[in-house]
Amino acid sequence: MKLGYVILYVANVPATVDFYEKAFGLQRRFLHESGQYAEMETGATALAFAAEEMAKDNGLTVRFNRPKEDAAAVEVALVTPDVAAAYERAVKAGARAAQPPKQKPWGQTVAYVRDLDGVLVELCTPISP
């Protein structure tokens, strides 16, 4: 097996796509004309967004992310050589600051923001093997 997609259920797919373009510099791969599903270019694995009602349509019971509630125990990690600049860009675009950039003991720089729906997004430098 290989990881093909990470799909986040969101309140407004087109608004989320616009936000990820502005906040993180990602490019949209696909936005369905219904506005209910989209994919972003992120490398080998696509980051996708589906409308919250699609979870119910798929027979799923889930807890949706909400900006004013604690984040779910999952994060989207975006790798960048300049975490400080990425963090600043994201916050200026409307991301909520969660943790400013910090150097980790293993040498990686990591910061956290929350997106429009309250999803935790990690901004980090690559990990050297």
Side-chain angles (χ1 to χ4, degrees):
M1 293 230 194
K2 66 179 183 174
L3 181 61
Y5 300 88
V6 172
I7 301 172
L8 302 176
Y9 289 99
V10 299
N12 184 318
V13 173
T16 301
V17 168
D18 289 343
F19 171 77
Y20 273 72
E21 288 176 329
K22 290 175 187 151
F24 308 116
L26 299 181
Q27 293 181 339
R28 72 183 74 193
R29 174 189 292 174
F30 171 77
L31 174 60
H32 189 267
E33 63 188 30
S34 69
Q36 299 292 297
Y37 181 80
E39 296 175 3
M40 307 300 288
E41 291 290 351
T42 56
T45 301
L47 176 61
F49 306 111
E52 290 179 348
E53 53 268 18
M54 289 185 73
K56 183 179 177 184
D57 293 345
N58 290 333
L60 304 173
T61 301
V62 299
R63 182 184 66 79
F64 298 114
N65 282 286
R66 296 290 182 251
K68 294 183 180 180
E69 296 177 8
D70 289 342
V74 65
E75 65 185 53
V76 172
L78 299 174
V79 180
T80 178
D82 190 345
V83 172
Y87 180 81
E88 185 177 317
R89 176 184 179 158
V91 171
K92 281 183 181 178
R96 196 172 102 213
Q99 290 287 327
K102 292 181 183 174
Q103 186 79 26
K104 297 295 184 176
W106 52 89
Q108 188 180 35
T109 302
V110 176
Y112 294 93
V113 296
R114 293 188 60 194
D115 75 5
L116 299 177
D117 289 281
V119 173
L120 193 60
V121 178
E122 176 184 343
L123 305 170
C124 60
T125 53
I127 296 178
S128 299

